[in-house]
Amino acid sequence: MQTHEARLAALREELKRRDLDGFVVPLCDEHMSEYVGAYAQRLEWLTGFGGSAGSAIVLTSRENGNGAAIFTDGRYTLQVREQVDGKLWDYVGVPATSPADWLARNVKAGQRIGFDPWLHAHAQAQELKKAVEKKGAELVAVADNPIDAVWQDRPAPSAAPAVPHEDALAGKASSAKREDVAAWLAENGADAVVITALDSIAWLFNLRGKDVDRTPVALSFAVVNADGSAELFIAPEKVDSELVAHLGNHVALRPRADFESALGDYAGKTVAVDPVRGVEAIFAALLAGGAKVMKATDPVVLPKAVKNEAERAGHRSAQHRDGAAVSRFLHWLSVDAPKGGVSEMSAADRLRGFREETGQLRDLSFDTISGSGPNGASPHYRVSEESNRTLEPNSVYLVDSGGQYPDGTTDITRTVWVGPDAAPQEVKERFTRVLKGHIALDRAIFPQGTTGHQLDVLARQFLWEVGLDYAHGTGHGVGSYLAVHEGPQNISTRAVAQPLIAGMICSNEPAYYKAGEYGIRIENLVLVEDRAIEGAENAMLGFETLTFVPIDRNLIDVDLLTDAEIAWMDAYHAKTRAIVAPQLSGSDLAWLEAQTAPLR
């Protein structure tokens, strides 16, 4: 097995052979997915970094630093240093320094920097191109990825079948969804739209798959025409008669390998492509074929984010089922962890087991973040054999997890104190400040047109009061048996123009991390809903809480809570008891009743 040093050296030799002075390595696939199949894990293979967001740049010369940089955001500050050798790679934080910024500082006139046009969104590619050309260098689109040439035993793309997703769960037939896209095309004066995001394709055609771990999608591309007909480009071995019947006569099935050449058939036509989700190679193929490219946001993104009644009902059902499984896990943990025999990995495995016992789990919605003590201080920590810790008595344990069920996708974080002694006052105080922010956001009432960016301060205010903060967003969108991270909405310090709309699902997850010691995060999912207020002069919105699992009362300093916050906690726990108790029995039920009793 090659070392990461050997892999980097092999890539540099391959670049020299191709007369390239550098190469950009994103963490994505041809669909700009957040989570990718094993065949597309080029960044992890090259560097060892196992996070879900990052990129790298390799130069053949090492005049400045290592001549190789890995780019990660604040979620991975600790993780990247643990997994990636600092003797080989320079650590660069984004967004303070983007890959384009780094190239602008490090390339020289006349150099040729390679990139894979199937792995960079059009907007990203243009940013890189501008940066290198400003220095008199050239950005070169490679015909095939040089990493693939040196990656021994690279996995093949998944051959798992694509399967229909029932209309009863989807809440709307695929034909009706395509009619909506056709109406959008007519309104915008376009002849067709290319759909590239895997979750958009899955939602639009009411299909699901197993091609990407943790996200039930099938590798494919799609083109929807102005008459509502469509072409779905998917490997033939992934299609059976049931799927053909499900898609109907107005969806033509073509091999995925034919997609690029098919883009040459749109000469003289206006074709819409999302510049953020559509890769550079698609733009190049359309333009080469004589099409007029219209840059526009994927028309599926917003309808997919605004859940219909069937999707909302499915989410509630999935959350209630999942809440019982997580509650059973937390009871088990409260008994076994203080004995000192539970590890991060065994805890994650046991949690998955409780979910599997529901009989409805199809997959996890992401790799469980099971962090004990200092490992919990890394927001997106991923446990491995090397990092695995025992949950020591009298320590903080953070577990962020979720499940993929046919009726909904779950995502929940709970932070618990592993006894037997009482938690230190510092831990309780900081946990309670995170809890106060969580409650403030949950209780928010706001006018239509409000963005998540405008609400973010509600969750941070009690940490800010004492000079604390966290380096990630407070909330992200969640799909319906789809991607656990879904746009276009978010709740974050990052300004996103998309207003929150009734039907959107978001996470509510304020946090605090003390490097080297512990992490705290409390996460529920919430549904944006219309909120009727007597005498209101504006249409108002609020949140319906979807996640119901006890919040560890051992970490709450009740004296720091207001009467209103205590009332929220008691009401939340009362509803948790009402929803979860009928699903439990015996000692699990007794534990739940004790954990959800009034705080005072």
Side-chain angles (χ1 to χ4, degrees):
M1 180 178 178
Q2 287 178 304
T3 65
H4 289 107
E5 183 175 10
R7 293 172 183 180
L8 180 58
L11 176 59
R12 282 190 163 119
E13 288 303 310
E14 180 67 17
L15 295 178
K16 291 175 183 176
R17 190 183 69 79
R18 298 185 183 208
D19 193 26
L20 293 172
D21 300 291
F23 189 69
V24 185
V25 187
L27 198 176
C28 67
D29 57 15
E30 303 89 335
H31 309 274
M32 299 305 297
S33 305
E34 177 182 16
Y35 299 111
V36 302
Y39 80 97
Q41 290 282 3
R42 297 177 179 90
L43 184 68
E44 183 172 20
W45 178 86
L46 180 65
T47 69
F49 176 64
S52 63
S55 61
I57 298 176
V58 177
L59 300 179
T60 55
S61 64
R62 282 165 278 185
E63 296 179 10
N64 297 319
N66 288 308
I70 184 163
F71 302 81
T72 57
D73 62 30
R75 297 172 295 174
Y76 299 106
T77 301
L78 299 178
Q79 182 177 337
V80 70
R81 285 162 173 77
E82 293 170 352
Q83 296 179 331
V84 179
D85 190 345
K87 296 178 182 178
L88 303 175
W89 298 88
D90 296 329
Y91 308 120
V92 183
V94 297
T97 302
S98 70
D101 295 334
W102 190 90
L103 278 174
R105 296 173 189 170
N106 288 278
V107 298
K108 296 180 179 179
Q111 289 188 324
R112 304 174 75 247
I113 306 299
F115 81 108
D116 187 336
W118 284 99
L119 299 180
H120 291 265
H122 175 70
Q124 291 176 340
Q126 295 306 304
E127 183 182 13
L128 294 172
K129 184 172 185 287
K130 182 179 179 180
V132 300
E133 288 183 349
K134 186 180 290 186
K135 296 294 292 286
E138 180 185 3
L139 187 68
V140 180
V142 299
D144 58 286
N145 197 300
I147 291 178
D148 298 349
V150 297
W151 184 351
Q152 300 172 4
D153 301 321
R154 176 173 168 250
S158 164
V163 298
H165 183 58
E166 296 176 22
D167 286 0
L169 293 174
K172 192 172 187 177
S174 173
S175 57
K177 294 178 179 180
R178 296 197 310 273
E179 288 173 5
D180 291 342
V181 174
W184 178 88
L185 287 168
E187 183 180 343
N188 288 275
D191 299 296
V193 57
V194 177
I195 307 294
T196 61
L198 296 179
D199 60 335
S200 288
I201 294 169
W203 185 88
L204 180 62
F205 292 93
N206 287 348
L207 62 83
R208 298 294 188 267
K210 295 183 178 180
D211 291 346
V212 177
D213 287 345
R214 315 311 187 209
T215 309
V217 293
L219 292 172
S220 52
F221 293 98
V223 179
V224 181
N225 301 305
D227 62 359
S229 66
E231 292 180 296
L232 182 63
F233 296 85
I234 186 169
E237 63 267 23
K238 304 173 77 63
V239 178
D240 61 14
S241 58
E242 183 184 11
L243 184 65
V244 172
H246 167 75
L247 293 172
N249 296 330
H250 293 288
V251 178
L253 290 165
R254 299 181 61 178
R256 185 168 181 258
D258 291 352
F259 175 62
E260 184 175 13
S261 61
L263 296 176
D265 298 337
Y266 290 89
K269 295 185 178 180
T270 299
V271 181
V273 189
D274 191 324
V276 174
R277 296 169 180 83
V279 296
E280 176 66 12
I282 292 173
F283 283 79
L286 285 168
L287 292 172
K292 178 183 177 181
V293 177
M294 182 181 82
K295 298 178 183 179
T297 300
D298 176 347
V300 173
V301 168
L302 188 56
K304 173 166 57 67
V306 179
K307 310 310 185 231
N308 59 45
E309 287 301 328
E311 291 170 324
R312 298 181 198 188
H315 260 282
R316 293 186 187 100
S317 177
Q319 301 292 343
H320 295 178
R321 181 187 314 118
D322 196 66
V326 177
S327 294
R328 292 180 64 205
F329 164 76
L330 291 177
H331 171 226
W332 168 82
L333 193 75
S334 72
V335 174
D336 282 31
K339 301 174 184 177
V342 176
S343 72
E344 293 170 341
M345 293 186 76
S346 67
D349 289 344
R350 193 70 188 94
L351 175 54
R352 177 166 189 154
F354 282 118
R355 285 191 164 109
E356 288 175 338
E357 288 173 18
T358 67
Q360 294 293 312
L361 186 73
R362 297 296 180 266
D363 194 0
L364 301 181
S365 57
F366 57 96
D367 290 335
T368 297
I369 299 170
S370 178
S372 173
N375 286 344
S378 179
H380 277 211
Y381 168 70
R382 187 170 73 177
V383 63
S384 65
E385 294 283 358
E386 295 74 26
S387 68
N388 189 30
R389 289 175 56 93
T390 297
L391 277 60
E392 299 174 355
N394 301 318
S395 66
V396 178
Y397 173 61
L398 183 155
V399 57
D400 184 355
S401 67
Q404 293 284 9
Y405 302 94
D407 47 358
T409 299
T410 70
D411 183 2
I412 173 177
T413 307
R414 286 296 181 264
T415 306
V416 299
W417 176 251
V418 179
D421 297 341
Q425 181 56 31
E426 178 195 280
V427 176
K428 293 179 68 173
E429 186 250 343
R430 295 183 180 185
F431 180 91
T432 306
R433 289 185 179 277
V434 172
L435 175 60
K436 287 167 73 72
H438 179 96
I439 294 171
L441 183 58
D442 185 272
R443 296 176 64 216
I445 298 173
F446 46 95
Q448 288 185 7
T450 300
T451 66
H453 175 63
Q454 291 172 289
L455 299 180
D456 183 77
V457 65
L458 296 175
R460 297 177 190 267
Q461 58 182 313
F462 303 103
L463 291 167
W464 285 358
E465 284 179 350
V466 291
L468 306 176
D469 201 0
Y470 50 95
H472 59 70
T474 300
H476 56 81
V478 178
S480 287
Y481 187 37
L482 276 175
V484 72
H485 294 151
E486 177 182 86
Q489 77 278 20
N490 77 351
I491 302 172
S492 171
T493 56
R494 182 169 58 92
V496 171
Q498 175 62 54
L500 297 176
I501 299 172
M504 287 180 168
I505 292 175
C506 297
S507 64
N508 172 1
E509 50 181 308
Y512 167 74
Y513 309 95
K514 188 170 185 179
E517 295 195 29
Y518 59 86
I520 295 167
R521 187 158 67 247
I522 304 170
E523 178 185 18
N524 288 343
L525 298 188
V526 294
L527 172 70
V528 183
E529 64 175 359
D530 293 315
R531 188 64 59 87
I533 299 175
E534 186 176 353
E537 296 180 356
N538 297 288
M540 305 298 289
L541 300 170
F543 293 122
E544 173 194 337
T545 306
L546 295 174
T547 306
F548 292 98
V549 171
I551 295 170
D552 191 0
R553 59 200 302 121
N554 296 312
L555 285 171
I556 300 174
D557 184 343
V558 179
D559 292 337
L560 290 179
L561 297 179
T562 65
D563 289 345
E565 289 165 343
I566 292 173
W568 183 95
M569 276 297 308
D570 288 346
Y572 175 76
H573 275 157
K575 190 165 184 180
T576 298
R577 187 167 58 251
I579 288 171
V580 175
Q583 304 178 71
L584 304 183
S585 61
S587 60
D588 287 334
L589 178 58
W591 174 87
L592 178 75
E593 291 173 341
Q595 290 297 308
T596 57
L599 290 181
R600 284 179 175 163

